[in-house]
Amino acid sequence: MQTDKLLNIVQTVLDERKGQYITTIDVRGKTSFTDYMVVATGTSDRHIQSLCEYVSEKVQESGLKPLGIEGGQGSDWVLLDLGDVIVHVMTAQAREFYQLEKLWSVDHAKEVG
């Protein structure tokens, strides 16, 4: 599946299922393990879990098997690895604490020489 199509599925499902503050971070050139990270806020641990389950089901319907999922019932952060897109769904408190958008917005340090 093309990355743009996968990204669109993820964003659409999160929006339809009431994910909040959905942010897409382009990390191409910053890391080799993925192209995009999508970060969203859920309203409870159950909402977080169900958002990732819905995304997983929808991408499987399109023929892509998720590589893995971390976190579960009772977690304040669930990560869904879809290869070219990694989905992070968190509580508002966890999102504020970890600040993934800020972490991944830092540009490469320039070499001093």
Side-chain angles (χ1 to χ4, degrees):
M1 177 182 307
Q2 291 198 359
T3 303
D4 292 340
K5 182 178 178 186
L6 176 60
L7 190 57
N8 186 47
I9 290 170
V10 169
Q11 293 166 331
T12 299
V13 172
L14 290 173
D15 185 52
E16 288 174 349
R17 297 297 179 159
K18 308 294 188 224
Q20 300 175 343
Y21 311 109
I22 302 164
T23 303
T24 300
I25 307 166
D26 184 343
V27 293
R28 295 173 294 180
K30 294 182 180 183
T31 184
S32 61
F33 62 84
T34 194
D35 291 338
Y36 295 95
M37 291 190 191
V38 178
V39 183
T41 300
T43 57
S44 67
D45 62 334
R46 181 67 196 132
H47 187 221
I48 291 166
Q49 184 70 33
S50 65
L51 285 169
C52 287
E53 288 171 4
Y54 286 126
V55 170
S56 179
E57 288 172 12
K58 192 55 102 173
V59 297
Q60 287 182 58
E61 289 173 9
S62 298
L64 178 69
K65 183 173 171 131
L67 299 174
I69 189 165
E70 296 293 330
Q73 194 64 30
S75 296
D76 61 353
W77 181 356
V78 177
L79 179 147
L80 178 61
D81 187 348
L82 303 172
D84 291 338
V85 177
I86 294 180
V87 181
H88 300 270
V89 184
M90 314 164 96
T91 61
Q93 295 84 0
R95 191 165 178 177
E96 176 65 29
F97 182 79
Y98 291 105
Q99 297 185 21
L100 293 182
E101 293 95 337
K102 185 176 178 180
L103 174 71
W104 286 102
S105 68
V106 175
D107 288 329
H108 294 300
K110 297 189 192 268
E111 289 186 33
V112 177

